[in-house]
Amino acid sequence: FQNNAPWQLIKEDKKVEAQIVCSVSCNIVKILSILISLILPVFAKELQQQLNRNRELFSQANPSLRHHL
């Protein structure tokens, strides 16, 4: 996320690229929150709430980005 600097891409009028960076980053955080939910349930729940997601399950840890672009 830091290396791709979406805030800089926006300033350079590269909105599509910025959207891709943000979508991929959010999807990674969502998947990580699912994977850590058994070890750190409270932290995982807080992450999912920040992403406006309800309790996610392992079956929902799909890396597909079809609904994010």
Side-chain angles (χ1 to χ4, degrees):
F1 185 80
Q2 295 271 332
N3 291 339
N4 290 302
W7 52 89
Q8 188 62 38
L9 293 172
I10 297 261
K11 290 179 184 176
E12 297 170 3
D13 202 29
K14 297 180 180 178
K15 293 179 183 178
V16 173
E17 292 89 344
Q19 182 181 10
I20 291 170
V21 170
C22 291
S23 294
V24 169
S25 297
C26 286
N27 203 37
I28 290 169
V29 171
K30 180 190 91 163
I31 292 169
L32 288 174
S33 76
I34 294 167
L35 296 175
I36 66 168
S37 64
L38 295 175
I39 301 165
L40 301 167
V42 174
F43 181 67
K45 182 180 177 183
E46 289 172 1
L47 280 176
Q48 291 175 9
Q49 286 175 340
Q50 289 177 16
L51 294 172
N52 198 26
R53 306 292 296 186
N54 291 328
R55 190 168 172 232
E56 299 281 350
L57 305 172
F58 283 104
S59 62
Q60 296 168 317
N62 182 350
S64 172
L65 295 176
R66 67 176 174 248
H67 299 296
H68 293 277
L69 299 176

